[in-house]
């Protein structure tokens, strides 16, 4: 007979004594269980003891977390978190250097435990650590452990960052601004400053006053990628929290310090492969840089602004050399109207009206002026080439430039916040100081070329723009490393190639609509779904690495989860860094029986998405979040690193629970695999018209004399 669900069999250790093997009744108070364990070793004052896990992070067990204890878990009897916090605080303030160092080392390890952290903070422990840092008397390992403990304690979100003193900020900033400082101290100092900026509006201003951009950029030129990552993370945090009127000024300062070229030479083209966290920070910097365009993108043109009117006049002058305007006002107006028509504006009388729609607003005008000034030959060629055509196939440059700018803003998500966990940066945008404008110049030439290949007229405008969007998105997906590579990729994606790709992708939809084919598809579908199900379960058996997300962006906290080979248990545990290969089950100390799983929830229904965190406010963080709800009323919370992993895990968990797999990835895989299977089965029917209905069954013959008589 199996034991009751509220009885858990565990082993409990105590230094210098034989382990106790006991059954924990989850209905009994934890204090009673600790008392019984202490009695087994004849220990008095049981209230000064507590239970901790013996493996992994060795967290304290509380009434709230005791439900996570599983059969076979090894526990350890330890002094209570209150007593441990008091003893460590006393040892930290002792005069003995060695004793203080050991205490800080132990504190750095224990501070990750929320139960201990609460007790230590209640004893004003954070204030003590802050004073140790402010004194400036700690160096080397002692300072590194102090900063580690401080960061871990603050990361629990128990104490507000606004309570941090200015002298503490100055001391931490001093470590960052020093040309020569220990790597571990520098790393933790950068992380602390990043957390200050992200978690407090007031501290942003103080940190911004203390940190020099030049020194942060100097940290990007070292060989240690961890330091480079923390430095870019702090730059991004300052960028993200800066007031709108300060962001452009900060961007100009970074440009003057050659941030882009330093990133390109020391990171993107560096000797070491770029890790996931660095890729994310480069993506964030890319997004924040493009977001500087949002103000221009959302600004309508003011027809009464002489500066903006002069830009339109300059576009006309460069294209048509309008130095010799006629003196007569009427003739000049008529000539201007004709020129604006040739420039491809929708409103020939007043082109300023074309820039009234947002997006793209006056950003389109900025792009057109850049092309006209910096790539004058290209600009003149495009305009004159189309203005001289009489066959209704002219490409309206002005209208195309405006629509293209709007499209590029959509593709690059100008104005949107960075997505948590996204690593989708494009190296080519770090190869030029005016990468946005150069990107536009490449794309407007592509548009003109595609227009000619399609022999399009004005009525085909939207069709051309759809083809151009597809060309650009397909080229960006190939991750060209430079603008020249982008041009090369786009040359290979001409209109004919797009048609070929579309046709091959559309085969399953266009050619398989007759009733016999639909019936065949319905018969194939169950076995294909079973194949997809097995693939999803196999992926869960391989496992995935997830990032732990707290109140600040954790750059060094990961955990791994994988399904047992018999599909009965989910194993999970913490990791110090992302794994390079498969993580053995033995290293994953925690587990959940699949039979205990009650449901899987996603998005805002997840427990960790109901908390007020930066991730909760990010729609993409919501889209990648899911939680496993299991007995007794517990949850295992996930934030997938990307949409693909999210779909894999949602599908796999649904398959485990006997539910329908309904992710976008399943639909895509189902279409692809069914299409391939049907094409294979129909190979012998190539070029044969498949009838809508089966042929009629012929009438029975009048006689069966034609049959062979074997007798």
């Amino acid at each position: 007979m199996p034991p009751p669900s509220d009885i858990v069999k565990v082993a409990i250790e105590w230094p210098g004594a034989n382990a106790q093997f006991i059954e924990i009744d989850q209905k009994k108070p934890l204090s009673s269980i600790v008392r019984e364990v202490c009695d087994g070793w004849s220990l008095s004052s049981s209230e000064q003891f507590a239970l901790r896990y013996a493996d992994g992070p060795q967290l304290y067990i509380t009434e709230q977390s005791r439900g996570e204890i599983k059969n076979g878990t090894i526990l350890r009897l330890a002094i209570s978190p209150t007593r441990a916090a008091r003893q460590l605080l006393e040892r930290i303030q002792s005069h003995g250097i060695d004793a203080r160092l050991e205490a800080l080392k132990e504190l750095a390890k224990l501070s990750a435990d929320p139960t201990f952290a609460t007790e230590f903070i209640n004893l004003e422990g954070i204030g003590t650590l802050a004073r140790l840092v402010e004194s400036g008397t700690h160096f080397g390992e002692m300072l590194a452990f102090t900063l580690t403990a401080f960061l871990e304690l603050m990361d629990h979100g128990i104490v507000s960052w606004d309570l941090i003193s200015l002298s503490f900020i100055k001391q931490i900033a001093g470590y960052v601004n020093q040309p020569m400082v220990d790597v571990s101290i520098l790393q933790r100092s950068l992380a602390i400053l990043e957390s200050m900026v992200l978690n407090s509006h007031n501290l942003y201003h103080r940190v911004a006053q203390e940190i020099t951009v030049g020194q942060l950029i100097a940290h990007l030129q070292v060989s240690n990628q961890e330091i480079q990552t923390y430095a870019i993370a702090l730059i991004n945090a300052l960028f993200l929290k800066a007031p709108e009127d300060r962001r452009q000024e900060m961007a100009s300062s970074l440009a003057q310090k050659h941030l882009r070229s330093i990133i390109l030479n020391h990171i993107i083209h560096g000797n070491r492969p770029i890790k996931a966290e660095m890729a994310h920070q480069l993506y964030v910097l890319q997004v924040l840089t493009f977001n500087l365009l949002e103000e221009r993108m959302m600004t309508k043109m003011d027809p009464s602004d002489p500066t903006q009117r002069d830009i339109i006049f300059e576009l006309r002058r460069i294209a048509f050399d309008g130095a010799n305007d006629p003196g007569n006002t009427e003739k000049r107006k008529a000539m201007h109207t004709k020129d604006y028509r040739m420039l491809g504006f929708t409103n020939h009388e007043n082109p300023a009206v074309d820039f009234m729609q947002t997006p793209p607003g006056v950003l389109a005008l900025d792009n057109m002026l850049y092309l006209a000034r910096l790539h004058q030959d290209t600009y003149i060629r495009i305009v004159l080439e189309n203005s001289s055509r009489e066959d209704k196939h002219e490409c309206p440059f002005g209208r195309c430039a405006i629509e293209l700018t709007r499209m590029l803003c959509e593709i690059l998500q100008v104005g949107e916040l960075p997505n948590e966990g996204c690593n989708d940066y494009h190296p080519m945008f770090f190869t030029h100081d005016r990468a946005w404008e150069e990107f536009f110049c490449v794309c407007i030439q592509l548009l003109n070329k595609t227009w000619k290949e399609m022999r399009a007229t004005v009525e085909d405008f939207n069709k051309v723009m759809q083809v151009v969007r597809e060309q650009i998105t397909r080229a960006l997906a190939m991750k060209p490393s430079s603008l020249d590579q982008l041009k090369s990729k786009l040359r290979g994606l001409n209109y004919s190639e797009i048609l070929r790709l579309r046709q091959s992708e559309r085969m399953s939809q266009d050619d398989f609509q007759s009733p016999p084919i639909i019936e065949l598809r319905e018969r194939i579908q169950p076995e294909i779904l079973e194949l997809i199900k097995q693939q999803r379960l196999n992926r869960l058996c391989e496992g995935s690495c997830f990032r732990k997300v707290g109140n600040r962006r954790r750059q060094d906290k990961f955990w791994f989860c994988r399904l047992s080979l018999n599909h009965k248990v989910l194993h999970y545990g913490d990791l110090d860094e992302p794994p390079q290969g498969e993580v053995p089950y033995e290293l994953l100390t925690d587990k959940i029986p699949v039979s205990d799983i009650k449901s899987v929830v996603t998005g805002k229904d997840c427990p960790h998405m109901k908390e007020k965190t930066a991730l909760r406010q990010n729609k993409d963080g919501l889209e990648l979040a899911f939680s496993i709800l299991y007995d007794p009323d517990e949850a295992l919370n996930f934030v997938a690193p990307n949409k693909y992993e999210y779909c894999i895990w949602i599908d796999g968990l649904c398959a485990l629970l006997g539910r329908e797999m309904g992710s976008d990835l399943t639909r895509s895989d189902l279409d692809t695999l069914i299409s391939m299977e049907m094409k294979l089965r129909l190979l012998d029917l190539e070029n044969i018209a498949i009838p809508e209905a089966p042929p009629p069954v012929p009438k029975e013959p009048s006689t069966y004399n034609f049959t062979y008589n074997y007798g």
Side-chain angles (χ1 to χ4, degrees), residues 414-429:
V414 174
E416 296 188 17
L417 287 174
N419 304 338
E420 181 69 31
C422 182
N423 303 335
D424 190 24
Y425 81 98
H426 295 279
M428 70 174 184
F429 290 130

Side-chain angles (χ1 to χ4, degrees), residues 575-591:
L575 300 176
D576 293 329
E577 58 184 23
Q580 299 302 317
E582 191 176 87
V583 177
Y585 291 106
E586 297 76 30
L587 297 181
L588 305 176
T589 55
D590 301 304
K591 57 186 178 180

Side-chain angles (χ1 to χ4, degrees), residues 301 305-323 325 336 339-340 343 345 351-352 355 365-377 379-380 383-384 397:
M301 184 167 183
D305 186 342
T307 304
Q308 294 180 354
R309 286 204 315 271
D310 288 345
I311 294 176
I312 295 178
F313 292 154
E314 185 172 357
L315 291 174
R316 175 188 162 275
R317 180 189 60 77
I318 294 173
F320 305 114
D321 191 21
D325 279 351
H336 287 188
D339 289 347
Y340 292 144
L343 274 171
F345 288 112
F355 300 96
L365 187 62
D366 297 341
N367 287 342
M368 294 165 71
L369 183 62
Y370 182 89
L371 175 69
R373 285 179 175 174
L374 276 296
H375 299 274
Q376 194 169 110
D377 292 343
Y379 169 70
I380 293 173
V383 173
L384 296 185
F397 169 75

Side-chain angles (χ1 to χ4, degrees), residues 536-543 560 562-567 582 585:
R536 299 296 193 261
L537 293 175
N538 289 341
R539 279 287 286 107
L540 262 61
C541 290
E542 293 174 11
F560 197 88
R562 63 183 297 197
L563 179 66
S564 63
L565 297 178
N566 62 7
H567 299 173
E582 191 176 87
Y585 291 106

Side-chain angles (χ1 to χ4, degrees), residues 7 60 106-107 132 134 146 151 177 229 246 249 264 268 270 275 293 307 320 371 430 468 480 541 565 590 605 633:
I7 299 296
Y60 277 102
E106 188 175 344
L107 177 63
L132 290 176
E134 291 169 13
T146 304
L151 187 59
N177 290 330
T229 304
R246 278 271 299 133
E249 179 184 334
L264 183 68
I268 297 176
K275 296 180 180 179
L293 304 168
T307 304
F320 305 114
L371 175 69
F430 292 89
V468 171
C541 290
L565 297 178
D590 301 304
D605 295 326
D633 298 324

Side-chain angles (χ1 to χ4, degrees), residues 266-306:
H266 292 271
I267 298 175
I268 297 176
H269 292 165
N271 297 326
R272 299 186 179 185
I274 292 178
K275 296 180 180 179
E277 182 58 34
M278 174 60 84
H280 174 76
Q281 294 300 339
L282 291 175
Y283 155 77
V284 172
L285 182 60
Q286 172 186 294
V287 171
L288 295 177
T289 303
F290 283 145
N291 281 356
L292 295 172
L293 304 168
E294 183 181 12
E295 182 181 355
R296 297 291 287 173
M297 179 183 76
M298 300 307 295
T299 301
K300 297 181 180 180
M301 184 167 183
D302 182 2
S304 63
D305 186 342

Side-chain angles (χ1 to χ4, degrees), residues 584-626:
Y585 291 106
E586 297 76 30
L587 297 181
L588 305 176
T589 55
D590 301 304
K591 57 186 178 180
I592 300 174
V594 173
S595 58
D596 286 353
I597 298 177
K598 294 192 290 187
S599 65
V600 177
V601 295
T602 61
K604 62 183 179 182
D605 295 326
C606 299
H608 59 314
M609 290 294 107
K610 294 177 181 177
E611 302 169 5
K612 188 177 179 182
T613 64
L615 188 63
R616 169 68 180 82
Q617 299 165 8
N618 188 313
K619 65 175 184 179
D620 295 277
L622 280 172
E623 290 175 358
L624 298 176
F626 62 98

Side-chain angles (χ1 to χ4, degrees), residues 151-271:
L151 187 59
E152 291 285 357
L153 291 167
M154 292 299 296
D155 194 42
H156 292 291
I158 300 170
V159 178
S160 171
W161 282 90
D162 286 318
L163 300 177
I164 303 302
S165 68
L166 181 59
S167 58
F168 181 85
I169 298 172
K170 287 179 177 290
Q171 192 68 37
I172 297 296
Y175 300 136
V176 173
N177 290 330
Q178 286 177 19
M180 296 293 293
V181 68
D182 185 83
V183 170
S184 57
I185 294 173
L186 176 59
Q187 188 180 45
R188 288 157 180 78
S189 298
L190 288 167
I192 289 172
L193 292 175
E194 182 200 357
S195 290
M196 288 180 182
V197 172
L198 292 176
N199 289 288
S200 170
H201 179 71
N202 293 330
L203 292 188
Y204 157 76
H205 293 285
R206 294 181 177 179
V207 172
Q209 291 172 357
E210 297 296 330
I211 292 296
T212 63
V213 172
Q215 190 57 48
L216 285 180
I217 291 178
H219 292 314
L220 299 180
Q221 301 177 60
V222 301
S223 59
N224 187 320
Q225 191 172 122
E226 295 297 319
I227 295 297
Q228 292 174 325
T229 304
Y230 279 98
I232 292 187
L234 180 53
I235 291 173
N236 287 339
L238 290 167
F239 221 140
L240 185 64
K241 294 299 181 179
E244 290 188 11
D245 56 342
R246 278 271 299 133
R247 288 179 189 170
Q248 199 68 51
E249 179 184 334
M250 184 176 176
S252 300
S253 175
L254 292 171
Q256 290 174 3
K257 300 290 185 180
H258 308 292
L259 173 66
R260 179 198 59 77
S261 59
I262 289 172
I263 288 176
L264 183 68
N265 295 327
H266 292 271
I267 298 175
I268 297 176
H269 292 165
N271 297 326

